[in-house]
Amino acid sequence: MSIAAANVIPPSSSFSLTYSLHSPSRRLSTSALFVHCHHQHRLTTSITSSGAAAPRRGGHFLLTCSTPNYNTTHSVDSAPEILDHSYGNNDNNNNNSSGGGGGGGDHSNGGGGGGENSNNNKKEAMMVLVEAGRSIESLPKDLKAAIEDGRIPGSIILKYFELEKVPLFAWLMKFGGFKERLLADDLFLAKVIMECGVGMFTKTAAEYERRRENFFKELEIVFADVVMAVIADFMLVYLPAPTVSLRAPISANAGRIAKFFYGCPDNAFQIALGGTSFSLLQRFGAIVRNGAKLFAVGTTSSLVGTVITNALINAKKAVSSVDETENVPVLSTSVGYGVYMSVSSNLRYQILAGVIEQRILEPLLHQHKLFLSAICFAVRTGNTFLGSLLWVDYARWIGVQKAQELEE
């Protein structure tokens, strides 16, 4: 497909630019070309067309675009990427104070994308909108801003269109955090269900594996561990998951530390989108930031779990004078679990999501979603079981849990 400018007719207050569309392999509607002209070139007045509304293969199509002050020419080598565009002032009697600059100036940043890669991202995303017959105004504000800034490529827009076809995904994408994670990984929700679904079973099994004959004697401790795990499971999937960042730009008045962590990825090992990159320090910052969040999650969930456990222990003591089970230390257990999640869980889940799944399994099995889901299920189940074993050993090592030996 090729689009070429022709027959520029400059009237007194605006000019008309006629596009010729030669489409030997595809059809492109007038509305799609309107989206392309209006949003890629900021045309603000009327767009009219002559010829067939959708050209036949190999046909010829004319689209007349009118706008004040701007002269724009385009060359498209092959859809969906526009390779070149420029803006210029066509009114020699107007010094133009409304953006766009002097005649023929390079506008390669495409609206503030910040470089060639960002400009290419914007062009690609706009052509995806053209292909889909969608207006940029139909997108959520954060997605629209990301396109205009050149922060996301066309592949992300395609994924968004696919996800919004599913009512549940369409609803979840109303929440920014879910949207960023689903756009980075369309199996994100399935992974949340995997973790929460198998979490209770695998953690209970791990507790039994470690405690064996002491399992029922330490049932209150087992209960506390399972409660802590279930509360934390969701956050363990959510926080370290790779994302497509749609956050608004940080305030210019923000401090250096805030600006540094704003530029860090959500997963230290995630693949950077085209037009973006992360330094080694930023990737390390992702580990530190997620570690701090998981410390808070772990401490809070442990606090809830141990308080509930102690309440059950005291209730048992009230009805049975022979029960000698000791209360679980609240503060030391809560802080200990917070440290465990910020270090062990943080690193394991970042490696799992950013390396094993995104960099290894997804490229190999991206066309076999069912098989990919099964492999992810197996890997995550093993990781959950391993985490439970490590927690029992760690808790005993720091002294917040003690094994009760059976009397012979």
Side-chain angles (χ1 to χ4, degrees):
M1 183 183 74
S2 64
I3 301 176
N7 303 327
V8 176
I9 307 172
S12 58
S13 61
S14 67
F15 75 91
S16 296
L17 177 62
T18 301
Y19 280 89
S20 296
L21 172 64
H22 301 276
S23 181
S25 60
R26 65 179 67 207
R27 297 162 66 90
L28 195 60
S29 66
T30 304
S31 61
L33 280 173
F34 175 85
V35 172
H36 168 72
C37 290
H38 183 71
H39 296 291
Q40 182 71 18
H41 313 311
R42 311 292 189 205
L43 303 190
T44 57
T45 58
S46 65
I47 293 181
T48 58
S49 64
S50 61
R56 295 171 295 177
R57 295 179 184 271
H60 184 73
F61 183 76
L62 298 179
L63 181 71
T64 302
C65 306
S66 300
T67 184
N69 303 326
Y70 287 90
N71 180 6
T72 172
T73 60
H74 290 269
S75 172
V76 175
D77 180 50
S78 61
E81 183 179 4
I82 302 175
L83 298 181
D84 174 70
H85 70 279
S86 60
Y87 296 82
N89 191 334
N90 195 60
D91 188 352
N92 293 328
N93 297 320
N94 190 338
N95 291 327
N96 184 22
S97 60
S98 60
D106 184 7
H107 226 278
S108 60
N109 284 341
E116 183 179 354
N117 287 331
S118 296
N119 190 38
N120 289 338
N121 281 346
K122 182 177 180 181
K123 295 172 186 176
E124 183 181 330
M126 295 308 303
M127 285 306 294
V128 168
L129 288 174
V130 170
E131 294 282 328
R134 293 280 295 267
S135 165
I136 195 172
E137 302 299 333
S138 68
L139 302 178
K141 291 182 179 179
D142 52 359
L143 201 60
K144 173 185 173 183
I147 292 175
E148 292 177 339
D149 292 342
R151 290 187 278 123
I152 56 175
S155 59
I156 299 300
I157 309 303
L158 286 172
K159 183 175 287 188
Y160 176 82
F161 290 157
E162 289 298 318
L163 289 171
E164 71 173 356
K165 294 177 183 178
V166 181
L168 178 58
F169 289 158
W171 178 74
L172 286 174
M173 287 194 296
K174 293 181 180 180
F175 305 95
F178 274 99
K179 185 193 302 174
E180 291 183 330
R181 285 159 176 80
L182 286 169
L183 289 177
D185 179 8
D186 51 7
L187 291 179
F188 170 72
L189 182 60
K191 292 171 183 177
V192 171
I193 296 173
M194 292 174 197
E195 289 284 344
C196 295
V198 305
M200 184 178 294
F201 172 79
T202 56
K203 282 175 170 50
T204 302
E207 293 286 342
Y208 182 79
E209 177 67 22
R210 281 296 188 200
R211 302 176 192 279
R212 294 289 182 177
E213 61 273 7
N214 292 331
F215 181 81
F216 291 101
K217 293 184 67 175
E218 301 175 355
L219 196 58
E220 292 83 3
I221 297 176
V222 172
F223 180 79
D225 287 349
V226 173
V227 169
M228 288 186 288
V230 171
I231 293 174
D233 272 341
F234 172 78
M235 298 306 294
L236 279 173
V237 183
Y238 185 88
L239 289 178
T243 62
V244 172
S245 180
L246 301 176
R247 293 170 293 178
I250 193 169
S251 170
N253 297 326
R256 294 180 62 183
I257 295 178
K259 288 181 178 178
F260 168 73
F261 282 113
Y262 174 85
C264 295
D266 285 285
N267 185 288
F269 306 100
Q270 75 177 65
I271 299 172
L273 294 175
T276 62
S277 62
F278 302 112
S279 67
L280 184 61
L281 186 60
Q282 285 177 316
R283 292 186 180 276
F284 179 75
I287 296 176
V288 174
R289 182 181 60 191
N290 272 353
K293 291 179 180 179
L294 287 174
F295 174 81
V297 171
T299 301
T300 303
S301 62
S302 179
L303 184 64
V304 173
T306 51
V307 167
I308 294 174
T309 298
N310 285 344
L312 293 175
I313 291 174
N314 293 332
K316 285 178 63 177
K317 287 181 178 180
V319 298
S320 176
S321 58
V322 298
D323 194 307
E324 299 179 355
T325 306
E326 297 182 357
N327 283 358
V328 178
V330 176
L331 184 60
S332 58
T333 300
S334 300
V335 173
Y337 193 64
V339 171
Y340 169 78
M341 283 191 65
S342 69
V343 179
S344 175
S345 300
N346 184 24
L347 290 174
R348 284 187 293 107
Y349 276 86
Q350 293 224 30
I351 292 172
L352 173 61
V355 178
I356 297 175
E357 290 179 342
Q358 191 179 50
R359 292 183 179 271
I360 299 176
L361 295 180
E362 172 65 24
L364 290 175
L365 303 171
H366 67 280
Q367 293 182 334
H368 307 281
K369 292 294 185 182
L370 185 60
F371 188 48
L372 176 59
S373 299
I375 297 296
C376 289
F377 176 83
V379 173
R380 285 183 171 270
T381 300
N383 178 62
T384 302
F385 186 76
L386 173 63
S388 298
L389 298 179
L390 292 174
W391 161 246
V392 174
D393 289 340
Y394 168 76
R396 288 176 175 172
W397 177 63
I398 63 176
V400 297
Q401 293 183 10
K402 296 180 181 179
Q404 298 182 19
E405 298 296 332
L406 285 176
E407 295 182 1
E408 297 293 338

